[in-house]
Amino acid sequence: MTNHMNHTFHMVNQSPWPLIGAMGAMITLTGTIKWFHQYEQTLMSIGMITMIMTTIQWWRDITREGTYQGLHTSKVTKGLRWGMILFITSEVFFFVSFFWAFFHSSLSPTNELGSMWPPTGIQVFNPLQIPLLNTAILLSSGVTITWAHHSILENNYNQGLQGLFMTVILGLYFTALQAYEYMESPFTIADSVYGATFFVATGFHGLHVIIGTTFLITCLMRHLTLHFSSNHHMGFEAAAWYWHFVDVVWLFLYISIYWWGS
Amino acid sequence: MVSICKRIALHSSRRNTVYLCVRLANTFMDPKELVTGLEKRELLNEEAGKDPDPYGLAIKRGPGTKDKPTLVSSAFDSRIIGCVCDDESSHINWMWLHKGNSTRCECGFWFKLVEKPPL
């Protein structure tokens, strides 16, 4: 089918995933509200499963189109790159809104908070303990992913594998430490605007770390099945961009919420 | 995850020496071997020093009269074209071109679809 046309654009086939994905998103939304009101998780679980199955199969299809059918020409890849750039830009603004909320509340704390930040009665995390370790972990993971990238560019399979594997391990370690810190936290999301801004910002960041780790694990599995070469690894590059974005967001979180905010 | 760890551990430990054939199966192949289809054609064209895009989608307009319409090639029965009516024009006039009769742009230029087998 590749050669039945006279241009290098990718005319995509019909696919069920946009429709099924949209239904999954709507079911998840409805199910989550049902859970909040009726303490009943079935509908939300159905929605989540639908979404997960959709994403797995949608990206499986894209992998097949790119790697096995050769449909990702330079023009198509350029489009994919721009898509990823615009997506990450929108994510940046998503996080800007949380920082806006944080600085709005912390730069001139209201009387109700005791006119101080952190608010009266809030016991905050020591920024020099686990948060500092987490900073080191994410910065190191930035190094290992660059190592993996350069290995792939230089056709070094083994070091590409090792660099990618180390990055995934560091990502999982970060998530584990954040989970531990959430469990140990002396304040909750319901403890004043401090708890609200802290958990919304770090929670969404944690979610993004989990998504980024999943993206990297996908790349690791594709690497193991020899999907990449020195000039065919756009999926890996997108994962690397995403990972750097997550890394930079953490630096801002660490500096403003954990450090300055304490 | 366990199986990935196992494979990576196995993989790193058997590097270089013992399982030569396994090692060959587990390293990168030549980028040219990995790619296929259009992507491969693009790569080969680039290597041969040719324009990586073999199709040349931009078509230079000829006289464009009714008798001598500008010929636009397509592998399909119809194609969307954009006419830049004059050099000063700041927009492109998009229209469908169908197999058979010539089509006239609002500005007066004529176009005709000619069949060109897919490359």
Side-chain angles (χ1 to χ4, degrees):
Chain A
M1 61 146 298
T2 314
N3 301 335
H4 289 182
M5 59 209 191
N6 275 327
H7 57 77
T8 52
F9 297 102
H10 178 193
M11 297 289 117
V12 290
N13 297 110
Q14 285 189 332
S15 158
W17 310 129
L19 182 64
I20 296 178
M23 292 195 304
M26 189 68 202
I27 293 168
T28 308
L29 175 70
T30 317
T32 309
I33 294 167
K34 189 175 157 66
W35 176 39
F36 288 168
H37 285 274
Q38 298 173 4
Y39 309 104
E40 211 275 309
Q41 298 181 22
T42 319
L43 193 63
M44 186 183 69
S45 305
I46 293 171
M48 293 291 283
I49 290 167
T50 313
M51 293 259 287
I52 291 168
M53 294 308 290
T54 304
T55 49
I56 290 173
Q57 292 173 98
W58 194 337
W59 279 315
R60 176 207 63 189
D61 285 357
I62 295 172
T63 302
R64 286 174 176 174
E65 289 159 0
T67 308
Y68 299 137
Q69 297 186 291
L71 290 165
H72 289 180
T73 59
S74 56
K75 275 203 176 88
V76 177
T77 312
K78 200 174 172 185
L80 293 173
R81 276 171 205 281
W82 272 107
M84 198 64 202
I85 290 169
L86 291 172
F87 169 62
I88 291 178
T89 309
S90 75
E91 292 266 77
V92 167
F93 284 102
F94 180 72
F95 277 98
V96 163
S97 65
F98 301 136
F99 280 104
W100 193 300
F102 171 75
F103 284 116
H104 172 91
S105 311
S106 61
L107 282 171
S108 59
T110 57
N111 284 341
E112 289 83 348
L113 298 174
S115 301
M116 59 185 233
W117 194 271
T120 321
I122 295 279
Q123 251 191 302
V124 299
F125 291 119
N126 183 345
L128 296 180
Q129 292 174 359
I130 286 180
L132 184 61
L133 176 58
N134 272 335
T135 308
I137 290 167
L138 281 192
L139 286 176
S140 321
S141 75
V143 174
T144 54
I145 200 168
T146 306
W147 168 31
H149 190 193
H150 282 266
S151 307
I152 291 174
L153 284 175
E154 290 175 23
N155 272 322
N156 190 334
Y157 179 86
N158 279 318
Q159 293 206 13
L161 186 64
Q162 288 155 7
L164 204 42
F165 183 68
M166 288 304 295
T167 316
V168 169
I169 294 296
L170 288 167
L172 294 175
Y173 186 26
F174 176 91
T175 307
L177 284 175
Q178 279 296 80
Y180 173 77
E181 186 136 91
Y182 272 24
M183 286 187 293
E184 297 280 298
S185 170
F187 54 89
T188 74
I189 195 169
D191 282 326
S192 86
V193 74
Y194 185 90
T197 52
F198 178 90
F199 279 109
V200 168
T202 60
F204 269 115
H205 175 264
L207 179 67
H208 282 75
V209 170
I210 292 168
I211 294 168
T213 312
T214 315
F215 202 167
L216 287 170
I217 291 173
T218 310
C219 287
L220 183 65
M221 292 194 297
R222 291 187 67 197
H223 189 65
L224 282 169
T225 43
L226 294 169
H227 280 200
F228 297 137
S229 79
S230 55
N231 65 3
H232 182 108
H233 53 265
M234 169 61 216
F236 171 83
E237 279 183 11
W241 290 349
Y242 194 79
W243 194 250
H244 284 307
F245 153 71
V246 166
D247 194 354
V248 171
V249 170
W250 172 260
L251 293 181
F252 279 102
L253 283 178
Y254 180 71
I255 293 168
S256 40
I257 296 182
Y258 285 93
W259 190 9
W260 175 81
S262 71
Chain B
M1 201 62 217
V2 175
S3 71
I4 294 175
C5 295
K6 216 164 71 187
R7 278 186 74 172
I8 288 169
L10 272 176
H11 189 86
S12 322
S13 61
R14 71 181 173 216
R15 258 183 304 166
N16 296 329
T17 45
V18 200
Y19 304 103
L20 187 64
C21 55
V22 177
R23 195 186 137 246
L24 283 176
N26 272 324
T27 43
F28 274 136
M29 44 184 137
D30 183 353
K32 257 188 294 179
E33 273 181 72
L34 179 74
V35 290
T36 177
L38 269 181
E39 197 190 358
K40 183 164 197 163
R41 185 176 299 176
E42 221 174 33
L43 192 69
L44 295 176
N45 271 343
E46 205 168 2
E47 234 179 37
K50 287 190 257 177
D51 185 359
D53 176 9
Y55 301 113
L57 289 178
I59 294 170
K60 206 157 171 75
R61 198 174 46 213
T65 58
K66 190 170 186 182
D67 306 326
K68 282 190 183 169
T70 302
L71 299 179
V72 178
S73 62
S74 174
F76 301 108
D77 289 342
S78 36
R79 173 175 168 178
I80 290 177
I81 56 165
C83 176
V84 184
C85 296
D86 61 87
D87 294 345
E88 311 283 292
S89 176
S90 56
H91 77 286
I92 303 174
N93 243 349
W94 297 101
M95 70 202 100
W96 273 100
L97 198 55
H98 299 283
K99 210 163 149 183
N101 297 331
S102 311
T103 300
R104 181 180 170 277
C105 177
E106 288 170 356
C107 65
F109 288 114
W110 287 80
F111 300 90
K112 189 172 167 55
L113 199 72
V114 287
E115 177 133 11
K116 182 184 169 196
L119 279 177

